[in-house]
């Protein structure tokens, strides 16, 4: 997770009031646990829409994104603040495949593409 911040002093002094936007309840809850004096608000739309809202709206001091999503779209700013203290979503990126127990050809394919560590987790 990363935060795009208009004024980094809001991160240095947790008592400074600030408005933080995120589309994720998980991220909002973790942010408030670390910065209880901040207010969080929902922000909706695709990544480009949320970036535009952040840039155009004076009422938003920071916005939280998934770093991987910004990287994939090649829009990760160099000054993005990496939130290494924020816990990621459990099983993010995991895909589950279900097939009939008697379908040996599909079971063979699934076994070949299985990531054993993720499966065990």
């Amino acid at each position: 997770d990363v935060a795009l911040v208009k004024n980094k002093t809001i991160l240095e002094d947790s008592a400074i009031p600030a408005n933080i936007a995120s589309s994720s309840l998980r991220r909002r809850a973790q942010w408030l646990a670390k910065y209880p004096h901040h207010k969080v608000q929902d922000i909706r739309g695709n990544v480009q829409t949320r970036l535009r809202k952040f840039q155009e709206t004076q009422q938003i001091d920071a916005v939280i994104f998934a770093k991987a999503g910004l990287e994939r779209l090649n829009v990760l700013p160099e000054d993005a603040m990496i939130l290494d203290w924020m816990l990621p979503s459990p099983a993010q990126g995991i895909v589950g495949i279900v097939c009939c127990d008697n379908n040996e050809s599909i079971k063979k394919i699934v076994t070949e593409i299985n990531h054993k560590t993720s499966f065990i987790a």
Side-chain angles (χ1 to χ4, degrees), residues 1-19:
D1 294 316
V2 296
L4 308 184
V5 182
K6 291 179 180 169
N7 183 347
K8 293 182 182 177
T9 59
I10 66 167
L11 302 177
E12 297 161 2
D13 183 355
S14 64
I16 296 175
N19 291 315

Side-chain angles (χ1 to χ4, degrees), residues 38-93:
H38 292 177
K39 293 185 192 283
V40 294
Q41 64 188 65
D42 196 30
I43 188 168
R44 291 291 169 193
N46 62 31
V47 170
Q48 289 83 358
T49 299
R50 287 183 276 150
L51 284 169
R52 182 182 45 76
K53 287 178 180 179
F54 170 63
Q55 292 164 350
E56 293 176 356
T57 306
Q58 294 299 317
Q59 291 79 19
I60 301 175
D61 298 299
V63 64
I64 308 169
F65 285 98
K67 182 180 178 217
L70 296 180
E71 286 175 330
R72 250 182 268 128
L73 295 171
N74 201 27
V75 294
L76 178 66
E78 287 185 27
D79 63 345
M81 306 292 298
I82 296 174
L83 305 175
D84 56 1
W85 51 267
M86 197 169 273
L87 296 173
S89 178
Q92 184 138 357

